[in-house]
Amino acid sequence: MTDYNFLNPYRFRNGAVVKNRIVMAPMTEMSAHENGAITKDQIDYYGMRSGGVGMELTACAYVTPAGKGFEGNLGVDSDRMIPGLAKLAQAMKLNGTKAILQIFDAGRMTNSKILRGQQPVSASAIAADAQVQKHRAP
Ligand SMILES: Cc1cc2nc3c(=O)[nH]c(=O)nc-3n(C[C@H](O)[C@H](O)[C@H](O)COP(=O)(O)O)c2cc1C
């Protein structure tokens, strides 16, 4: 008989233990408020999926205002977001699931429409292929 291990706990070197080896991958749902604040829909979405999995990751969340990559992107760029994020963490950690917040910065992959007129900030002045396509004349 096959000896499956994926439902058994796993201990990381730092001592953290996940109750099983099933992880919910980060999946963007584009459901945050325009200012990046978490919505009730998002809290409900993550809450519904906690409990069964050992670990849950949020969709990518931008860390600076110019790092917003798309409409509905979750923002963690300001302390004003903490009360909403605390509710999210609580919902994700229900029944022993470990909660991970995925952080990112869209860099050159965003555009001034998403940034409401602000110029994107990037380590490179070379436009991303996706942005070149969008702004190329037909
Ligand atoms: C709708 C959707 C949204 C996703 N959003 C993110 C994201 O925010 N961050 C990320 O690292 N990966 C994101 N991914 C990638 C997934 O986490 C995962 O790596 C990908 O679906 C491949 O998983 P698989 O090899 O199990 O099929 C997304 C995937 C999908 C389908």
Side-chain angles (χ1 to χ4, degrees):
M1 206 172 94
T2 312
D3 189 15
Y4 292 114
N5 223 2
F6 73 99
L7 292 176
N8 293 334
Y10 179 82
R11 181 183 293 273
F12 290 92
R13 273 191 216 154
N14 68 359
V17 178
V18 281
K19 63 179 183 175
N20 62 47
R21 294 135 192 243
I22 306 171
V23 177
M24 180 173 137
M27 283 175 289
T28 291
E29 25 38 42
M30 305 173 92
S31 307
H33 287 294
E34 189 180 331
N35 68 353
I38 190 108
T39 57
K40 183 175 179 306
D41 280 354
Q42 286 173 304
I43 293 172
D44 290 347
Y45 169 81
Y46 288 102
M48 270 186 250
R49 286 154 182 87
S50 66
V53 294
M55 189 189 290
E56 229 183 6
L57 282 85
T58 66
C60 58
Y62 59 92
V63 292
T64 62
K68 179 176 177 177
F70 47 86
E71 302 300 343
N73 199 173
L74 180 63
V76 293
D77 59 323
S78 152
D79 285 353
R80 284 181 294 114
M81 304 300 180
I82 291 175
L85 294 169
K87 285 185 195 157
L88 172 68
Q90 199 179 18
M92 291 174 79
K93 291 195 283 187
L94 273 180
N95 301 313
T97 293
K98 295 283 185 210
I100 309 281
L101 178 79
Q102 186 184 57
I103 55 172
F104 96 130
D105 188 300
R108 63 181 196 157
M109 295 301 288
T110 189
N111 60 60
S112 52
K113 188 174 173 209
I114 289 164
L115 300 182
R116 306 295 187 263
Q118 194 185 329
Q119 188 181 331
V121 178
S122 170
S124 166
I126 301 167
D129 283 350
Q131 302 303 338
V132 172
Q133 300 282 341
K134 227 176 268 174
H135 295 109
R136 192 173 282 157

